[in-house]
Amino acid sequence: MYQHLKIQEHGNIAIMTISAPKSLNALNSTILGEIDEYLDEFEAANFRCLIITGDGEKSFVAGADISEMASLGAQQGETFGKKGATVFRRIETLPCPVIAAVNGFALGGGCELAMACDIRICSDNARFGQPEVGLGIIPGFSGTVRLARLVGMGIAKQLIFSGKNIKADEALRIGLVNAVYPQAELLDHAIDIANQIANNAPLAVRAAKLCINTCYDMPAEEAIAFENRAFGLCFNTSDQKEGMKAFLTKGKYEFKGE
Ligand code: CO8
């Protein structure tokens, strides 16, 4: 169905594996289009968590496809950048959480894809970096925006200006990833986290994601008011009623997303 995506769907969670083995899963326009298309399907099916990973044991995504970019002019470069940035923003603002299981190289657009996800974990062979200035360009899929927000301006500037790659333990130290696992265990850990998320009240998880994303850049007073409204709306859901009743009666309740 998809040329470059392998999709696995288990219960309430889905795994999207980017697969372009000849270029270490580099992102070209076709792959970006396929990701966008799958996100339509994913949203319509009401899953509770998405995992994104790369095919093989060497690379998550080795960047945007350099062979597609090599001959672009300024206008075409801007259009290509916008295409990637739009898909990545869609991932970031997807109603439910997205986990990046970074199984190797996450360079350029690959690091930017991981940063658009809510949670990043990686294998011990992972390498992160924004090598674009070594190719005469800058991070164009929102890397200058998200890296500084995730790891702070000083470290982001050093990584982007130097173009230097960092190993998994350094990515952990600077807070770019939440945890590092042996390659063979990475996906199982991602699935565990996804299941923990999927077992919680889906509307509450979505509201929490919306609050964290929306409130991050707001002045504190506005942010607190935004969270307060979202908190109040949780009490309109039957999951809140049934979830609290189950707690108080020591019963069991499976959240329905209602
Ligand atoms: N694009 C296209 N092909 C790639 C890419 C890529 N990003 N990365 C690897 N490949 C290809 C190689 O060309 C090679 O192909 P072939 O076998 O035909 O020669 C194949 O994948 C295997 O790669 P290597 O032989 O180089 O494997 P190594 O193990 O020696 O090295 C590396 C692995 C270190 C990952 C190396 O391939 C590398 O440095 N790749 C490029 C990494 C990079 O610079 N990424 C950033 C690209 S720029 C970017 O992402 C900008 C995003 C914003 C775009 C904005 C739009 C304007």
Side-chain angles (χ1 to χ4, degrees), residues 22-24 26 58 62-67 69 72 77-78 80-81 105 107-110 112 131-132 135 137-141 165:
K22 286 188 186 146
S23 59
L24 300 180
K58 185 169 174 182
D65 192 325
I66 298 170
S67 61
M69 287 186 293
L72 300 184
E78 191 174 329
F80 184 53
F105 290 114
L107 304 177
E112 291 168 304
E132 286 90 343
L135 294 164
I137 57 171
I138 62 168
F141 294 163
N165 295 348

Side-chain angles (χ1 to χ4, degrees), residues 162-221:
S162 70
K164 192 175 162 286
N165 295 348
I166 56 169
K167 294 183 176 173
D169 56 350
E170 178 69 354
L172 181 65
R173 192 188 68 78
I174 65 174
L176 186 54
V177 296
N178 296 358
V180 182
Y181 299 104
Q183 166 82 246
E185 294 172 17
L186 178 68
L187 200 57
D188 284 344
H189 283 286
I191 292 170
D192 275 352
I193 299 169
N195 282 327
Q196 285 162 22
I197 292 168
N199 287 336
N200 291 322
L203 297 176
V205 172
R206 287 173 178 226
K209 173 166 173 173
L210 182 68
C211 281
I212 295 169
N213 278 358
T214 310
C215 295
Y216 187 79
D217 289 325
M218 277 182 173
E221 290 298 336

